[in-house]
Amino acid sequence: MANTKILKCISPIDGSLYAERETFTSIEAHEAAKRAKVAQVEWGKKSIKERSDLVNLGVLKLGEIQEETTIELAHQMGRPIRYGGEYSGFQFRADTMADLAEKALAPIIVEDSDAFVRRIDRIPLGVVLVIAPWNYPYMTAVNTVVPALIAGNSVLLKHSEQTLLVGERIEKAFHEAGISKDVFQNVLLSHETTGELISSSAFDFVNFTGSVGGGKAMEIAAAGTFTGVGTELGGKDPGYVREDADLDAAVDTLIDGAMYNAGQCCCGIERIYVHESLFDAFVEKATAIVKGYKLGNPLDPETTIGPMATARSANEVRAQIDEAIEQGAKRCVDVFAEDDGGAYLSPTILINVNHDMKVMREESFGPVVGIMSVKDDAEAIALMNDSEFGLTASIWTKDTDKAYEIGSQIETGTVYMNRCDFVDPELCWTGCKDTGRGGGLSVIGYHNLTRPKSFHLKKQ
């Protein structure tokens, strides 16, 4: 068919073609957006409870095929099946957002007297386009899909080529639950058609999770249309271990935060700063943990770290590692025998690193972390802020007041104390600098998916 392309999911397990789909033509894409706009009117008239009940049922329907989706994720993007897929996180976030809906969408009553009714209502935006990434394909999509639907919007979900089956799975579950086929649509769009739709005002809001370059493309496409764009882009999230930290807990959690999902986490730990008094012990314990990993086929229940989603991405991380070693960094763990020079990349700890190295400044999005010694809080704060990105930061200390004091000085969207790599759906998921703008989840997520409408009613 003219004006289409073939989307192909190449499995990182063995480089084979796992799934392929043909994109919509430009005409088909515009028709899908028009149907969504028409369907939204009736969907928006339903009560919050009615919409929530249908969405909740859709979430439960998805849970019925959890085993199948776990295996599909292994094939599509390489996560080991031992971790059970993403349904538990998907359900947790969906349930939390459903619970927050009535409060978040409640009108603000300024006055209700014999003379006036003055109030501010929350009105759905209309048609929301969600562009989701492959690294956590269900859990990133749910952040916007569920609150957008519950708030009364219709939703078009465009998923990554690497995780082609995810959008279809969500669509099928939601339609089986009774959500109209035009209210929620999985759409297969090329980059060109996506940009064309945005620039022609086909949507009322666009939520994009992906690269900095992709985020810029969204904003350029939306320029002059007054279409809202929310973005979560790159990250280089730091962890800081203070002198008073619980060392074992810090090592276990930060290294897991750096290596889980082969390091392909939006809020994964990519650089660690450790007080000089704990540095040697931290590195020794971290090295022992990583040496115990099993790199291999994600369909093997014994595998703890699978391949990266693509060989291209793995080679980009290798290039960062090689450059750092050429500049004086030291690798603490030998290259694994299973490292094939392709998608299967050895988990790597680097010391003797500095901020002149790309591995400490540019997003890696792979199983590598650099560890630096610092002398005090001031040095740690300066290093944590020496980044173009700002999604999360993790502070390890027994002193809550000190964690808040330090966290208040860090340029980031979320500050953790004694944990990391966790999305709390009751808190706003947001970033700053090149990580993007806007906010998802929490009551603020609902506010960003609706608009305020004021009523000033004078009684006779």
Side-chain angles (χ1 to χ4, degrees):
M1 185 179 292
N3 195 32
T4 65
K5 64 175 288 189
I6 302 299
L7 302 175
K8 296 183 178 182
C9 170
I10 305 300
S11 175
I13 292 177
D14 55 10
S16 64
L17 176 65
Y18 183 67
E20 63 180 339
R21 299 289 188 271
E22 187 175 56
T23 62
F24 291 12
T25 66
S26 175
I27 293 174
E28 290 170 338
H30 278 278
E31 287 176 347
K34 289 176 182 177
R35 291 196 305 273
K37 188 173 288 290
V38 172
Q40 186 275 325
V41 175
E42 290 304 314
W43 177 252
K45 291 178 181 177
K46 293 181 180 294
S47 69
I48 294 172
K49 184 179 185 307
E50 287 176 309
R51 296 192 296 258
S52 292
D53 286 347
L54 288 170
V55 171
N56 287 339
L57 181 56
V59 171
L60 293 175
K61 290 285 186 183
L62 188 64
E64 294 173 1
I65 55 170
Q66 180 178 0
E67 185 175 344
E68 295 170 60
T69 58
T70 297
I71 294 171
E72 288 174 356
L73 284 180
H75 281 286
Q76 292 175 92
M77 49 74 65
R79 185 179 305 124
I81 59 171
R82 69 180 290 136
Y83 300 118
E86 296 182 19
Y87 180 69
S88 61
F90 183 96
Q91 183 182 38
F92 172 57
R93 296 183 192 183
D95 289 350
T96 301
M97 293 308 291
D99 290 343
L100 291 174
E102 292 284 356
K103 173 185 176 182
L105 299 172
I108 299 172
I109 306 301
V110 177
E111 179 182 358
D112 187 359
S113 69
D114 292 340
F116 290 98
V117 172
R118 295 184 295 140
R119 60 185 282 164
I120 304 169
D121 287 359
R122 303 299 315 184
I123 306 300
L125 295 175
V127 182
V128 174
L129 173 66
V130 178
I131 305 176
W134 51 262
N135 64 315
Y136 279 90
Y138 286 98
M139 290 200 290
T140 52
V142 75
N143 292 351
T144 307
V145 168
V146 163
L149 287 171
I150 293 176
N153 300 287
S154 56
V155 173
L156 272 63
L157 172 61
K158 175 190 180 298
H159 228 299
S160 166
E161 184 173 14
Q162 192 63 42
T163 43
L164 275 177
L165 303 185
V166 172
E168 294 177 5
R169 289 297 196 178
I170 299 173
E171 181 183 58
K172 186 173 185 291
F174 281 15
H175 290 173
E176 287 179 349
I179 296 173
S180 162
K181 291 183 177 181
D182 291 335
V183 166
F184 180 77
Q185 301 176 60
N186 176 56
V187 292
L188 300 167
L189 306 176
S190 67
H191 294 326
E192 295 75 17
T193 300
T194 302
E196 177 191 326
L197 286 166
I198 295 171
S199 62
S200 64
S201 300
F203 310 111
D204 299 290
F205 186 79
V206 177
N207 180 266
F208 175 82
T209 304
S211 68
V212 174
K216 289 180 179 178
M218 296 300 113
E219 293 198 343
I220 290 170
T225 67
F226 306 109
T227 301
V229 178
T231 52
E232 186 211 311
L233 310 175
K236 195 70 182 174
D237 291 6
Y240 170 40
V241 182
R242 297 188 76 237
E243 187 176 16
D244 68 338
D246 180 329
L247 181 62
D248 288 335
V251 174
D252 288 347
T253 309
L254 287 171
I255 294 303
D256 181 67
M259 301 298 172
Y260 184 77
N261 204 38
Q264 300 165 128
C265 301
C266 300
C267 58
I269 295 295
E270 295 211 359
R271 49 200 174 106
I272 300 175
Y273 306 101
V274 183
H275 188 272
E276 57 190 8
S277 65
L278 299 178
F279 181 78
D280 290 341
F282 186 99
V283 171
E284 181 181 355
K285 290 175 180 290
T287 300
I289 291 172
V290 173
K291 284 182 176 178
Y293 287 160
K294 177 178 171 53
L295 173 65
N297 190 318
L299 298 173
D300 180 352
E302 298 301 314
T303 294
T304 55
I305 184 167
M308 292 186 64
T310 67
R312 176 185 55 79
S313 297
N315 285 328
E316 290 174 356
V317 179
R318 283 191 181 90
Q320 285 189 354
I321 294 169
D322 291 345
E323 180 193 68
I325 291 173
E326 288 175 3
Q327 295 176 351
K330 177 184 175 183
R331 186 195 295 267
C332 295
V333 182
D334 292 336
V335 174
F336 282 42
E338 296 83 4
D339 190 323
D340 65 351
Y344 290 85
L345 173 63
S346 300
T348 303
I349 293 174
L350 296 173
I351 58 172
N352 298 343
V353 292
N354 59 61
H355 277 219
D356 292 330
M357 300 174 180
K358 290 180 180 178
V359 77
M360 295 298 287
R361 298 190 61 82
E362 296 183 1
E363 184 173 36
S364 300
F365 218 62
V368 58
V369 65
I371 308 176
M372 290 179 64
S373 172
V374 295
K375 64 181 184 295
D376 56 25
D377 294 342
E379 183 180 11
I381 292 168
L383 288 168
M384 284 190 281
N385 284 339
D386 185 27
S387 173
E388 297 176 353
F389 303 107
L391 184 58
T392 78
S394 174
I395 302 167
W396 292 79
T397 179
K398 294 182 174 67
D399 189 334
T400 304
D401 291 338
K402 182 61 69 173
Y404 185 82
E405 176 188 322
I406 294 169
S408 297
Q409 299 174 67
I410 301 173
E411 297 159 355
T412 192
T414 295
V415 176
Y416 298 108
M417 171 180 162
N418 299 334
R419 76 181 314 175
C420 66
D421 193 24
F422 178 80
V423 178
D424 181 345
E426 291 189 84
L427 296 177
C428 184
W429 190 243
T430 186
C432 61
K433 300 194 279 192
D434 280 2
T435 291
R437 64 180 182 180
L441 301 175
S442 76
V443 296
I444 293 174
Y446 274 110
H447 292 172
N448 287 335
L449 292 164
T450 55
R451 66 176 179 87
K453 184 173 184 178
S454 295
F455 290 84
H456 192 141
L457 311 179
K458 181 181 180 181
K459 298 180 180 179
Q460 293 293 336

